């Protein structure tokens, strides 16, 4: 089957083709199912959670306010359910009382959101050798999307699929790549934009530059509409930024977290990752920018054309920038006493359509005009020594030459390290406070540029070796603190830090609610509610295992719930050596909470 081909499958053909099974414990009625539209995705019912961060603007905010500051202390678990073994970093979707949960190794389950009873389970029949080609990170399944009558996703054997939302049966599937020839990893799923299933991917060297693409499929049929390379191609604008590196070596500029979308502007905002190798002296020279790595790409939703781009960092250390871009309309008045780099042309207080947040592992907040890509302001949130300065007038980022690798065997001490700063765990934005809330880490590492690794001894707890980046790391907590984890509340208008919550354990993804609460967990199994205004902890429970999933809030029949998954997400193990006294278990479970009836 060629890449881009579509196969439409009837329920009877599924068993014959052998791709998957869909067992129905309590069948939903197709007659009662209301198809999900673009309008519903852009303005969801208060009780639903229809896309990765609930809305295409990536706020991670639920307007539900039944659970609030006064009563959150009464929150109780109402059901729990074990999840598939493997990596667990999933985000539930909830629509009309059904919860759809993505899980490791291409498992998706539809669960009654009130009782926890199973409706159906989809388990893809994956080839035995698939992870030998696409990599173990591909086992992660962070999110799925819903559109019309379908649950849509990308698979570990490099297909796009559409499942019947009421039965779990395969309706269509489209091959993206032959995973043996051009393997690509899909650790995050798609979003829907204007009826299109938009998906990014990681593109490791063995996949070739062909896999470094963002792809749009028709969400109803699976037909491919466009592909956009995240690597500047020979003969195209940006080609010169690779310093003569041949096309086949322009690899690893991945788009491995979901995009954000502005339907009014018709623009998708996709972040990208580092190159392979990371030290640029090995790849065309340290002064070349190697577009479009570590950038924000504003893509035309109809064509995939790059309307504008902004590069956040010329990255020599694996400080990827593919994370959520928060889209908000706000007054822009950065406080010079709080913000390091400011565009001198800003008219303080002017309302702008901005893209903001912490898009990369450096932990720096960037705020850009999302119509034009104009740089507005930026400021660090954790200790960092990779950026020397940013030109406020142009937005051009200058790296710190003292930590830029220039030769093999060179060692540098760099903050943060590759698990952040910030990593894939999502922050949240609340319109109640016009504040973004970010889970951050105080980490650094001594790094060495090398392509030769000592295989005779195992890594110790704080070491890692990355052939793919040509770097060896020895990680540590940042000097001056014993706390790895923080949550920082940052004004979207002024850049001011409104409060800072710090703790020993690394913090994980967050969700904000209309009740003035911020829910999030940590790698030590604690799940808690914080006050959006003060940062005070108002409720806490020990779930036993790292809170590795993305929390959400939803409602059924007027009752508000909070849901989150625990388990063996990749980040949790990365921090155990830094905090060896913390010893959580690693059970993959979904927990759902509500106030007592």
């Amino acid at each position: 089957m060629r890449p881009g081909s579509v196969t439409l499958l009837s329920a009877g053909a599924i068993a014959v083709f052998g791709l998957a099974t869909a067992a129905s414990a309590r069948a939903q009625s197709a007659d009662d199912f209301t198809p999900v539209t673009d309008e519903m995705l852009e303005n969801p019912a208060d009780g639903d959670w229809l896309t990765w961060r609930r809305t295409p603007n990536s706020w991670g905010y639920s307007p539900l306010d039944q659970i609030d500051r006064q009563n959150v202390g009464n929150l109780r678990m109402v059901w729990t359910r074990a999840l598939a073994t493997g990596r667990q970093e999933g985000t539930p979707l909830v629509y009309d009382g059904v919860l759809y949960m993505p899980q490791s190794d291409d498992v998706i389950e539809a669960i009654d959101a009130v009782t926890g009873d199973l409706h159906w389970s989809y388990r893809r029949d994956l080839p035995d050798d698939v992870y030998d080609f696409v990599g173990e990170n591909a086992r992660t399944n962070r999110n799925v999307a819903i559109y019309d009558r379908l649950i849509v996703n990308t698979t570990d054997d490099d297909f796009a699929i559409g499942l019947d939302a009421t039965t779990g049966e395969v309706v269509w599937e489209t091959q993206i790549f032959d995973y043996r020839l051009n393997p690509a990893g899909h650790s995050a799923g798609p979003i829907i934009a204007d009826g299109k299933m938009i998906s990014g991917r990681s593109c490791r060297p063995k996949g070739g530059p062909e896999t470094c693409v963002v792809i749009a499929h028709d969400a109803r049929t699976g037909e491919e509409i466009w592909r956009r390379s995240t690597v500047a191609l020979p003969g195209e604008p940006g080609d010169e930024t690779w310093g003569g590196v041949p096309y086949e070596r322009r690899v690893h500029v991945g788009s491995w977290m979901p995009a954000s979308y502005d339907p009014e502007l018709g623009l998708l905002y996709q972040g990208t990752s580092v190159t392979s190798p990371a030290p640029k002296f090995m790849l065309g020279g340290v002064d070349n920018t190697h577009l479009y790595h570590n950038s924000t790409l504003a893509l035309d939703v109809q064509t995939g054309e790059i309307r504008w781009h902004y590069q956040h960092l010329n990255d020599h250390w694996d400080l990827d920038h593919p994370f959520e871009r928060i889209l908000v309309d706000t007054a822009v008045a950065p406080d010079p006493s709080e913000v390091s780099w400011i565009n001198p042309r800003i008219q303080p207080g002017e309302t702008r359509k901005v893209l903001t947040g912490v898009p990369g592992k450096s932990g720096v907040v960037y705020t850009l005009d999302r119509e034009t890509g104009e740089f507005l302001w930026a400021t660090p949130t954790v200790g960092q020594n990779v950026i020397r300065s940013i030109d406020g007038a142009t937005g051009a980022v200058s790296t710190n030459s003292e930590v830029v690798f220039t030769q093999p065997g060179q060692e540098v001490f760099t903050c943060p390290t590759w698990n952040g700063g910030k990593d894939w765990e999502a922050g949240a934005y609340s319109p109640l406070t016009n504040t973004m809330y970010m889970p951050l880490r105080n980490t650094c590492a001594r790094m060495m540029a090398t392509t030769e690794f000592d295989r005779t001894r195992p890594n110790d707890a704080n070491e890692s070796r990355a052939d793919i980046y040509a770097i060896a790391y020895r990680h540590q907590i940042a000097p001056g603190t014993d706390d790895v984890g923080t949550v920082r509340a940052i004004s979207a208008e002024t850049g001011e830090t409104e409060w800072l919550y710090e703790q020993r354990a690394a913090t994980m993804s967050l969700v904000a609610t209309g009740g003035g609460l911020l829910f999030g967990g940590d790698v030590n199994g604690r799940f808690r509610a914080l006050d959006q205004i003060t940062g005070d902890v108002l409720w806490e429970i020990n779930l036993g295992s790292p809170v590795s999933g993305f929390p959400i809030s939803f409602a059924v029949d007027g009752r508000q719930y909070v849901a989150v998954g625990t388990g063996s997400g990749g980040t949790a193990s990365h921090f155990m050596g830094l905090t060896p006294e913390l010893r959580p278990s690693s059970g993959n479970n979904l927990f759902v909470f509500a106030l007592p009836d």
Side-chain angles (χ1 to χ4, degrees), residues 417-429:
T417 185
W418 57 255
N419 47 20
K422 187 181 182 298
D423 206 343
W424 53 263
E425 300 84 5
Y429 167 83

Side-chain angles (χ1 to χ4, degrees), residues 2-254:
R2 65 176 178 83
S5 62
V6 179
T7 302
L8 298 178
L9 300 173
S10 67
I14 295 167
V16 174
F17 202 67
L19 285 174
T21 60
S24 178
R26 182 164 65 84
Q28 296 171 274
S29 170
D31 294 337
D32 295 336
F33 189 91
T34 301
V36 175
T37 65
D38 290 287
E39 292 74 19
M40 293 163 68
L41 290 169
E42 293 161 17
N43 297 285
D46 287 355
D48 288 336
W49 192 284
L50 298 183
T51 193
W52 175 51
R53 302 304 293 149
R54 188 176 178 274
T55 44
N57 53 24
S58 294
W59 286 7
Y61 171 78
S62 167
L64 297 172
D65 60 4
Q66 185 180 90
I67 304 169
D68 59 26
R69 297 181 182 92
Q70 286 68 46
N71 61 27
V72 68
N74 297 322
L75 210 59
R76 299 290 186 270
M77 187 179 74
V78 293
W79 61 264
T80 183
R81 186 176 184 89
L83 301 174
T85 58
R87 293 171 177 256
Q88 201 304 106
E89 300 171 8
T91 311
L93 294 188
V94 178
Y95 176 55
D96 195 24
V98 179
L99 183 150
Y100 301 91
M101 187 64 190
Q103 299 167 58
S104 184
D105 295 23
D106 282 343
V107 172
I108 302 171
E109 292 185 327
I111 303 166
D112 189 298
V114 174
T115 67
D117 293 327
L118 184 68
H119 285 203
W120 53 256
S121 179
Y122 170 84
R123 297 172 180 270
R124 190 163 182 81
D125 185 11
L126 293 167
D128 292 340
D129 63 352
V130 66
Y131 298 111
D132 296 335
F133 288 88
V134 301
E136 289 294 316
N137 283 347
R139 291 184 183 273
T140 303
N141 194 1
R142 295 191 178 102
N143 67 291
V144 293
I146 187 170
Y147 190 69
D148 198 72
R149 296 175 175 271
L150 301 170
I151 299 295
V152 298
N153 198 27
T154 48
T155 71
D156 292 351
D157 56 344
D158 288 338
F159 281 76
I161 59 171
L163 308 179
D164 187 306
T166 65
T167 66
E169 295 177 340
V170 179
V171 175
W172 61 257
E173 69 168 29
T174 302
Q175 188 177 29
I176 300 172
F177 300 106
D178 182 328
Y179 76 88
R180 291 188 175 95
L181 297 178
N182 296 110
H186 293 102
S187 59
I191 66 163
I192 302 296
D194 192 32
K196 302 171 183 64
M197 170 183 164
I198 308 296
S199 65
R201 54 210 29 89
S202 61
C203 48
R204 296 196 168 200
K206 68 171 63 174
E210 295 87 354
T211 62
C212 298
V213 287
V214 180
I215 301 180
H217 291 89
D218 186 305
R220 287 192 177 94
T221 68
E223 179 184 1
E224 186 175 312
I225 300 172
W226 52 256
R227 292 190 180 202
R228 164 52 55 186
S229 175
T230 53
V231 172
L233 301 178
E236 292 188 353
D239 178 15
E240 72 284 356
T241 67
W242 282 82
V245 172
Y247 170 65
E248 60 270 16
R249 290 185 56 209
R250 301 181 186 187
V251 294
H252 203 272
V253 181

Side-chain angles (χ1 to χ4, degrees), residues 263-315:
E264 180 182 347
L265 298 177
L267 292 180
L268 297 157
Y269 302 95
Q270 179 69 64
T272 60
S273 75
V274 70
T275 59
S276 174
K280 298 303 182 289
F281 78 89
M282 300 180 181
L283 192 73
V286 298
D287 294 327
N288 292 300
T289 54
H290 301 81
L291 292 177
Y292 297 96
H293 92 279
N294 278 26
S295 298
T296 295
L297 304 181
L299 305 178
D300 187 302
V301 72
Q302 301 302 332
T303 65
E305 174 191 359
I306 299 175
R307 297 265 285 271
W308 59 259
H309 75 275
Y310 176 84
Q311 188 169 48
H312 300 274
L313 180 66
N314 194 357
D315 182 4

Side-chain angles (χ1 to χ4, degrees), residues 64 66 76 78 114 554-561 593-597:
L64 297 172
Q66 185 180 90
R76 299 290 186 270
V78 293
V114 174
F554 64 92
V556 181
D557 295 332
R559 190 182 190 192
Q560 182 182 356
Y561 299 84
F593 303 89
L595 296 173
D597 286 333

